[in-house]
Amino acid sequence: MSAGGGEGPVLATTYLGLPLTGPVIASSSPLTREIETLKELERAGAAAVVLPSMFEEEVIAEEMAFHESVEQTAGFDAEFTDMMPEMTLPDLGSERHLRRLEQAKQALSVPVIASLNAVHTGSWQRYAQLFVDAGADALELNLYAVAANPAESAADVETRYLDVIGEVRENVSVPLAVKLSPYFSSLAHFAGQVAAAGVDGLVVFNRFYAPDIDLESLHVEPSATLSSSVALRLPLRWLAILRGQLPQVSLAATSGVHGPDDVIKAILVGANVACTASAVLQDGPQAITAMLAGVRSWLAERDYTGVDQARGSLSAVNVEDPSAFERSQYIEVLTSFGTQTAMP
């Protein structure tokens, strides 16, 4: 039985204008790197997949290293070069990402979304077009950067991003999503500007993996930790706020989607889909199957016809007290926490 078929509540929905069998998408992760695990995710019920982001600096570094190795071995004897591992450009850089996309499109029936993070304005546009030419059903612009330049204002950062989005939108026709971070000074205002630039959807939010310190070696080291359901609370707040402000824009919840309750909460505040990565890394693709079964059961128990009927029923424009998603909620939490922890 498909995720959206059969008796009972309908899980089928749309995201970025794309018809989906259900409300759960497999986010970019090590499991979306390989064709076999992509197939497993689809069989488990993933309604779409997001391939690993292509980072421009990584692509450039790989391609430069390849060319340097070719130049260094150009004068060596054939006997020596025959002993070296054979490597070609399709195994590296942008070609590796494009080949993965082409293979995924051939192997899967669900939409395949390409993710891109570039450094230079022209590069966003160029790589985006390469992804479209390779068959991407949609593009996700991954706005992952640390604004550490003191000479660059918040307005400068936003203008730079909006220029990138506008140029990509002008040159590609496939659905376009933008993956946001929660660190903009006025997120609602910026989200509105992004929507006005012509994007079809917003992904809320990007996880910023902060480095750690190794006290033995005194080195700064990369550190990645999987999320928990607690991480979903920040996306829930902003999804609830943005749903009413941007009614025509698709919204995707990401970070903290671990079980059916998380998917249901995301839908209730207005998300079209919930994206998951940590859950499938922990429990395998079957985590998605369990999510969909739980969502269907919850909807059936409450006589919902499907996820589209439930969507947004607890967004800021539909709840009795919209301020619950804003300042009053913060004050109430602090007050109740003090009461709960008071000594008898």
Side-chain angles (χ1 to χ4, degrees), residues 190-241:
F190 182 65
Q193 289 184 301
V194 172
V199 305
D200 301 282
L202 300 175
V203 183
V204 182
F205 288 113
N206 210 332
R207 289 188 71 203
F208 273 50
Y209 293 102
D212 199 359
I213 304 294
D214 187 317
L215 295 179
E216 293 299 323
S217 65
L218 296 183
H219 287 162
V220 179
E221 297 185 338
S223 177
T225 56
L226 298 181
S227 70
S228 70
S229 293
V230 175
L232 183 62
R233 294 182 185 176
L234 183 60
L236 288 179
R237 161 179 280 171
W238 280 103
L239 289 164
I241 293 171

Side-chain angles (χ1 to χ4, degrees), residues 19 35 43 45-46 65 68 86 115 126 144 196 198 229 256 269 298 300 314 327 334 342:
I35 299 303
R43 287 193 292 268
E68 288 176 1
E86 184 177 346
S115 180
R126 179 166 64 88
Y144 187 105
S229 293
V269 297
W298 189 92
L314 291 182
R327 183 178 173 87
L334 292 181

Side-chain angles (χ1 to χ4, degrees), residues 114-278:
S115 180
L116 170 63
N117 180 285
V119 178
H120 306 98
T121 302
S123 297
W124 288 91
Q125 177 183 334
R126 179 166 64 88
Y127 289 128
Q129 187 61 59
L130 289 174
F131 277 133
V132 172
D133 292 342
D137 293 294
L139 290 176
E140 179 182 279
L141 302 185
N142 181 0
L143 300 187
Y144 187 105
V146 178
N149 182 356
E152 188 176 42
S153 69
D156 293 335
V157 173
E158 293 181 6
T159 298
R160 173 160 49 85
Y161 282 146
L162 291 170
D163 288 344
V164 164
I165 294 166
E167 291 193 15
V168 173
R169 177 73 289 172
E170 184 178 347
N171 288 277
V172 301
S173 58
V174 301
L176 184 63
V178 172
K179 195 171 188 178
L180 296 175
S181 86
Y183 300 124
F184 291 94
S185 299
S186 179
L187 180 62
H189 175 74
F190 182 65
Q193 289 184 301
V194 172
V199 305
D200 301 282
L202 300 175
V203 183
V204 182
F205 288 113
N206 210 332
R207 289 188 71 203
F208 273 50
Y209 293 102
D212 199 359
I213 304 294
D214 187 317
L215 295 179
E216 293 299 323
S217 65
L218 296 183
H219 287 162
V220 179
E221 297 185 338
S223 177
T225 56
L226 298 181
S227 70
S228 70
S229 293
V230 175
L232 183 62
R233 294 182 185 176
L234 183 60
L236 288 179
R237 161 179 280 171
W238 280 103
L239 289 164
I241 293 171
L242 294 174
R243 179 72 286 161
Q245 296 175 358
L246 304 172
Q248 303 305 315
V249 175
S250 287
L251 297 177
T254 190
S255 293
V257 177
H258 282 259
D261 288 359
D262 301 320
V263 178
I264 294 163
K265 290 175 184 178
I267 292 169
L268 289 175
V269 297
N272 294 74
V273 293
C275 306
T276 185
S278 292

